[in-house]
Amino acid sequence: LLGAVQGIMLAIALLSIKRGNRAANRFLAVLVATTAFQILGAVLFSTKYIYDFPHLSRLHHPFLFLAPPLLYLYIRELTARRGSLDRKDLLHFLPFLFCALYLTPYFLRGAEYKIANLASADYAQWYFTRSWLAIAQGAIYLYFVLWRLADLSRKLGESSSRSDKAILLQARVLVGLLL
């Protein structure tokens, strides 16, 4: 729970920074907030508080599909400094949208249904399917992130500036921490 609170505080701090690569900071802030929200959902489930607050059940599940594209967009912004999203970049968020739409009927159900569903085979099947899709999505985005970092590393070579090398190191450390 403290990790989730810390994540929200870090996201707020990143959004308040007025200098540097503000677009990259926004992507990182949303990535950290998304992760904090996922942690909060996992804490509710593992501590069984979800039975006291059944309407929060599965609320964090669509956000699992936001983390990989946000990491990719953050690394892309760090390395390319584009500054904004294109229309085609919105395609990265389709898995999040599809998951949210798929879960909408569940979200509209009553508390009794949600409590009963937590221990059902339906929940186990959903958990397996969601996890498999999230792992597949994560692997695809990890490939693109590592490809982007390798490409940047080749381009930078030995003659690059100190700040470019620092950006590359920062991106590598972040990816390493997430692995």
Side-chain angles (χ1 to χ4, degrees), residues 76 82 84-91:
R76 187 184 76 182
R82 292 177 53 173
S84 64
L85 291 174
D86 298 331
R87 280 187 179 262
K88 68 178 182 171
D89 289 331
L90 296 176
L91 295 174

Side-chain angles (χ1 to χ4, degrees), residues 105-125:
Y106 176 83
F107 293 146
L108 297 174
R109 302 296 290 264
E112 299 80 23
Y113 174 84
K114 291 176 181 175
I115 290 171
N117 187 268
L118 288 171
S120 71
D122 177 51
Y123 185 84
Q125 180 62 41

